[in-house]
Amino acid sequence: MHRLASLGLLVGLIAAPSIARPCGNAVYLETKEAHRLIAKAQKHLDAGRYRRALRTLHDGEIHVDDRNLDRRASLVLAVARMRLGYTTNAAWSLDHLDRAHPNDPEIETRLGEVLARLNKASATAKASKILERLAKDDLMADEFGYLALARLRQASGDLTGAKAAIEACRKRARDPAVCALAAPPKKTKKDDRPPTS
Amino acid sequence: MTALLFAALVAGAPPDASALLERFECARCHAVPGVEPAPTARHCVRCHEDIHAGRVEVPQATLHRWQAHVKSLLAAPDLRRRRLDAAWLKAFLLAPVDVRPDLPATMPRLAITAAEAETLAGFLAAPGRAPVTLDESRIEAGAAAFATLGCGACHAFGGLTEAPPPLPHPVSASRSLAPDLARTRDRMAPAEVVAWLLDPGPLMPRVVTERETAEALAAFVVLAPLPARAPPPAPRFLPVLKRKVAFGEVWTEVLSTVCWHCHSAEDFAFGDGGPGNTGGFGFEAPGLDVSSYAAISRGMRGPDGRRRSVLSRADGPSRLVRALKARWSEVRGEVDPEVRGMPLGLLPLSLEQIQLVESWVAQGRPR
């Protein structure tokens, strides 16, 4: 029994990552290791491997001391979650990040993207405001921001604006196929009827 | 808060040399009288020396890549021996010129006011010594000594003598710091030239032992008529490419080789994203990070703190391309007051590199 316990302890010591140490329920990452993992997770994210990006960062159960590293890690996690459809969770994270790092166009782009996905008029109005400003100032982080803007413009009936945003998306995109707008819903006779009270 | 208080004190009080030396971080490159050198991690020259000596703990492949890239800031002038003229130094701080042809870096164009430059120049300039009058009739003897002592092996002399032969990289500090002697008549008083020749700094061989020879050499260096100096020819920038240029290529060929060093991610070196991002050399956190597509798209902070795109072509050429082209103008002595030439204080990017960046921006910056 003693031998087994010693062996278990030895295996535990060898297997435990020396660069990470436990901190409550989170994995506390030392700076160098955090750099490595965040860069790896970012690569997964860029390649569309969202679940692997999340797993690389321990599904968010991490703690990083450095403010800027924490920003990067949180951003990767939030974007991966957003792309996987965990919109509410991602929206909360991005709103929090935006408050912690104001005037950061990359965070603002992601916040605009995620708010545009929420099925709430106040959220989409805020998304429009953010993304329109970023487009006007030419500070949109990438094609996904323009795609979200195009969808918002389409939904509001601004088809010319939507087309321009799609064009900007295509110019920036590594794969222009991502810049696709769903066909606008066809008007039916029912839609033309005046609303009844 | 402390920084704000410090800034307020500096702004409100008459500029003080030591505060300015600290603000402009002169000790990150130079040995400065009365100032401790910056720690190695923030000392440009020591860090680069360590890279070439293999004293940095990185994988071998990374080390070799860095050694191939790091060609600048392997040496910087020692400011402890105060020998320069104050008026020249002030003008130099305000509009740096290339003094040392074999040094692949010049003094960066700092965000410095005329009053600040005057204060710094007053502190760093020669304190003054008994004047020496040079004799024009000694120019020929000086020219002969110049040839006999082999001064031309290291020093250029504005085309008056044959330029030193080019050497392979990395060039030794003594050679790369050797100034073009055509500038000496503006930089130093005759008495300082004579004193320097008799007792030079550690990088220059002590070959002149007699005062008579020193004065003859000084007469040659200071009084010999110089051929007219033509500015370097204006560059002929290349047209934008028709083929597609994606961010990856711009990153590999340009951003990662030069720009990223001063405009890296905030967390790259324990919170130091470089002077072009988190601040340094007197620049207040411009916030430009070029380490990724999304990062460069964030632009940089303007004087009002708001971010502005460096890639937008809404009002003409993008700020990024303007800065890269402005560096070529600076080398020719033309300063754009609105745009600081980049890379700051280094050789301009090649025309092909600028073409690549300009093409990428013109194509709508594909990822």
Side-chain angles (χ1 to χ4, degrees), chain B residues 23-62:
Chain B
R23 191 170 114 216
F24 293 113
E25 299 186 303
C26 308
R28 282 182 79 170
C29 297
H30 298 282
V32 183
V35 178
E36 284 291 311
T40 305
R42 287 179 67 78
H43 197 293
C44 312
V45 174
R46 278 199 201 160
C47 182
H48 285 196
E49 278 175 348
D50 285 352
I51 287 169
H52 275 277
R55 288 193 293 259
V56 287
E57 286 180 30
V58 290
Q60 280 297 305
T62 308

Side-chain angles (χ1 to χ4, degrees), chain A residues 54-184:
Chain A
L54 284 179
R55 274 203 303 275
T56 304
L57 292 176
H58 301 268
D59 288 317
E61 297 298 323
I62 55 166
H63 177 79
V64 190
D65 258 349
D66 181 274
R67 183 173 181 269
N68 295 311
L69 269 178
D70 183 62
R71 171 197 169 276
R72 280 176 67 194
S74 304
L75 196 52
V76 169
L77 287 162
V79 175
R81 284 182 186 132
M82 172 171 67
R83 304 255 196 271
L84 286 167
Y86 303 117
T87 315
T88 311
N89 180 302
W92 183 88
S93 301
L94 286 162
D95 184 57
H96 182 76
L97 265 172
D98 185 46
R99 285 168 206 268
H101 300 268
N103 194 17
D104 182 328
E106 188 181 5
I107 293 173
E108 288 175 327
T109 303
R110 302 307 176 216
L111 180 63
E113 265 187 83
V114 77
L115 291 176
R117 289 172 183 227
L118 292 177
N119 198 14
K120 256 171 91 176
S122 61
T124 48
K126 190 176 174 188
S128 276
K129 201 175 162 192
I130 293 170
L131 295 173
E132 290 289 359
R133 176 173 49 79
L134 290 172
K136 182 174 152 280
D137 293 344
D138 205 349
L139 287 169
M140 197 78 84
D142 57 20
E143 66 268 31
F144 295 107
Y146 278 106
L147 180 60
L149 180 62
R151 286 176 178 160
L152 286 168
R153 283 177 177 171
Q154 186 190 40
S156 71
D158 175 11
L159 297 184
T160 314
K163 203 175 157 192
I166 282 295
E167 191 51 38
C169 176
R170 286 200 180 117
K171 272 187 176 172
R172 283 158 181 78
R174 199 179 284 143
D175 174 13
V178 301
C179 305
L181 271 180

Side-chain angles (χ1 to χ4, degrees), chain B residues 335-359:
Chain B
V335 169
D336 182 341
E338 284 181 23
V339 178
R340 207 170 296 278
M342 292 287 154
L344 187 73
L346 299 181
L347 293 174
L349 294 188
S350 71
L351 299 180
E352 288 77 13
Q353 283 175 309
I354 294 176
Q355 179 190 39
L356 200 65
V357 175
E358 194 167 18
S359 303

Side-chain angles (χ1 to χ4, degrees), chain A residues 31 35 46 66 68-69 71-72 103-106 110 137-144 171-174, chain B residues 244 265-268 270-271 293-294 297-299 305-309 311-313 363-367:
Chain A
T31 305
H35 269 288
D46 289 345
D66 181 274
N68 295 311
L69 269 178
R71 171 197 169 276
R72 280 176 67 194
N103 194 17
D104 182 328
E106 188 181 5
R110 302 307 176 216
D137 293 344
D138 205 349
L139 287 169
M140 197 78 84
D142 57 20
E143 66 268 31
F144 295 107
K171 272 187 176 172
R172 283 158 181 78
R174 199 179 284 143
Chain B
K244 188 177 175 184
E266 283 95 331
D267 50 78
F268 172 61
F270 306 104
Y293 184 91
S297 302
R298 288 161 71 197
R306 283 189 58 218
R307 284 194 170 266
R308 287 171 174 76
S309 173
L311 305 173
S312 175
R313 297 165 73 219
Q363 289 173 17
R365 340 44 116 160
R367 202 138 75 104

Side-chain angles (χ1 to χ4, degrees), chain B residues 92-359:
Chain B
F92 178 73
L93 286 168
L94 290 168
V97 289
D98 189 7
V99 174
R100 304 165 203 274
D102 284 324
L103 192 68
T106 61
M107 177 76 192
R109 207 178 122 205
L110 301 171
I112 191 169
T113 66
E116 290 165 345
E118 190 165 331
T119 303
L120 269 182
F123 175 71
L124 295 169
R129 56 177 83 228
V132 168
T133 307
L134 299 173
D135 184 353
E136 252 181 74
S137 67
R138 304 283 294 145
I139 291 177
E140 262 186 48
F146 187 92
T148 312
L149 296 171
C151 310
C154 291
H155 290 282
F157 194 2
L160 188 65
T161 59
E162 203 176 323
L167 292 177
H169 164 74
V171 178
S172 69
S174 53
R175 166 70 184 270
S176 60
L177 289 176
D180 182 339
L181 299 175
R183 304 262 185 206
T184 304
R185 57 194 68 194
D186 301 322
R187 295 173 71 222
M188 296 165 79
E192 293 296 335
V193 181
V194 173
W196 176 264
L197 286 165
L198 290 167
D199 181 19
L203 293 175
M204 182 164 139
R206 189 192 291 252
V207 288
V208 182
T209 51
E210 290 168 10
R211 187 168 182 89
E212 198 185 341
T213 314
E215 287 190 359
L217 268 171
F220 175 55
V221 167
V222 174
L223 302 176
L226 291 172
R229 186 191 290 259
R236 298 181 67 179
F237 293 110
L238 303 169
V240 293
L241 293 163
K242 289 197 174 119
R243 69 173 175 84
K244 188 177 175 184
V245 178
F247 177 75
E249 188 179 358
V250 176
W251 166 254
T252 308
E253 299 297 328
V254 184
L255 302 176
S256 73
T257 58
V258 189
C259 321
W260 178 70
H261 207 71
C262 291
H263 298 280
S264 62
E266 283 95 331
D267 50 78
F268 172 61
F270 306 104
D272 187 354
N277 185 3
T278 47
F281 298 123
F283 296 104
E284 279 182 30
L288 178 59
D289 170 9
V290 303
S291 64
S292 70
Y293 184 91
I296 197 171
S297 302
R298 288 161 71 197
M300 66 185 288
R301 287 188 200 93
D304 57 359
R306 283 189 58 218
R307 284 194 170 266
R308 287 171 174 76
S309 173
V310 294
L311 305 173
S312 175
R313 297 165 73 219
D315 305 317
S318 69
R319 192 175 175 91
L320 177 63
V321 171
R322 273 182 75 191
L324 299 179
K325 289 185 174 177
R327 185 67 192 129
W328 276 95
S329 303
E330 285 177 1
V331 169
R332 301 181 71 244
E334 296 160 6
V335 169
D336 182 341
E338 284 181 23
V339 178
R340 207 170 296 278
M342 292 287 154
L344 187 73
L346 299 181
L347 293 174
L349 294 188
S350 71
L351 299 180
E352 288 77 13
Q353 283 175 309
I354 294 176
Q355 179 190 39
L356 200 65
V357 175
E358 194 167 18
S359 303

